[in-house]
Amino acid sequence: MSPDQRQPKRAPRADGATPRSIERARGMRERAEHSMSYEAGVVLPPEGQARLEESPYEKLFTGGDTVIPKPQPLHVDTPKVILVGVACWVVMLVVTLLVPALHTGERDWWPWTCVAGAVLGLMGWAYVRRGRGNAEAA
């Protein structure tokens, strides 16, 4: 094919978008709209309208082609997580007391570390249960 028969190159738009990047952005938008949870109320603005908040990172990673929805926080049962941590400290205390090599000589401080971890964990659990450490109530 000779250079005369090729289609002329289109000049990019004033905003720097090319037909390929526009098509890529539309495809990404459709996939994002399809995968987003409408229960959370996340809806992208119609094409051509002003975007939601656009961070510099969003523009850096997507080239400004699409809007990245803000992630929704996960619900975590904090008191349960703290109690699991306290249980781990108690198990480690029992293990260090049952195995003589773990609490004699240079390691005589290991059981006290487990006791401190369990006590501080219980204090944190009481603090969170009272509502002071609960982020939802803040």
Side-chain angles (χ1 to χ4, degrees):
M1 182 180 286
S2 68
D4 300 338
Q5 294 173 342
R6 279 191 250 160
Q7 292 180 359
K9 235 183 185 183
R10 293 185 196 169
R13 294 181 1 180
D15 61 358
T18 61
R20 184 174 177 204
S21 68
I22 293 170
E23 188 59 35
R24 188 174 134 247
R26 284 192 182 119
M28 290 174 71
R29 180 185 183 84
E30 287 171 6
R31 286 192 300 276
E33 285 176 344
H34 180 70
S35 65
M36 279 192 289
S37 168
Y38 290 100
E39 297 170 11
V42 179
V43 179
L44 294 176
E47 261 186 71
Q49 287 189 1
R51 295 178 180 211
L52 302 173
E53 301 173 26
E54 184 176 1
S55 70
Y57 298 107
E58 179 181 322
K59 189 162 187 152
L60 173 71
F61 290 116
T62 66
D65 286 345
T66 186
V67 175
I68 300 172
K70 304 295 180 219
Q72 298 295 322
L74 297 174
H75 175 69
V76 177
D77 190 7
T78 309
K80 264 188 196 171
V81 173
I82 294 172
L83 286 179
V84 168
V86 169
C88 290
W89 280 115
V90 170
V91 167
M92 288 311 300
L93 175 63
V94 170
V95 169
T96 55
L97 292 177
L98 289 178
V99 179
L102 296 179
H103 67 269
T104 57
E106 292 288 319
R107 298 182 181 137
D108 61 347
W109 56 273
W110 282 21
W112 293 110
T113 302
C114 298
V115 168
V119 169
L120 289 173
L122 289 173
M123 289 171 57
W125 177 76
Y127 184 77
V128 169
R129 290 286 295 185
R130 244 185 11 208
R132 298 269 175 104
N134 189 354
E136 291 177 3

